[in-house]
Amino acid sequence: MRDVLTDANDAAIARTVIALARSLVLGVVVEGVETEGQRAFLAECGCGLDQGYLLGPPVPAEQLRL
């Protein structure tokens, strides 16, 4: 995710992986989302599930609120 906004090859890879998963009827959770721009890119690609420092730092399982 880090360079999808600045590197055309990284963006193409991300789009391709998302498209492949969708064609196989699989869900996609993108890891490493750190900016709103990255999140917007994912939304444009049809992926709405993400995780990363944008949402919060890693925490022990006991601290998760589900």
Side-chain angles (χ1 to χ4, degrees):
M1 269 317 303
R2 183 177 60 216
D3 295 325
V4 295
L5 300 178
T6 58
D7 185 320
N9 290 328
D10 285 2
I13 291 168
R15 284 189 194 99
T16 301
V17 170
I18 292 167
L20 176 62
R22 292 182 81 192
S23 72
L24 295 171
V25 193
L26 297 172
V28 177
V29 178
V30 178
E31 181 179 315
V33 178
E34 297 182 358
T35 69
E36 287 294 342
Q38 291 169 335
R39 195 174 211 189
F41 170 84
L42 292 173
E44 290 173 13
C45 293
C47 181
L49 295 174
D50 54 78
Q51 64 183 33
Y53 280 98
L54 178 64
L55 301 172
V59 296
E62 303 81 42
Q63 292 181 12
L64 289 176
R65 289 187 278 162
L66 301 175

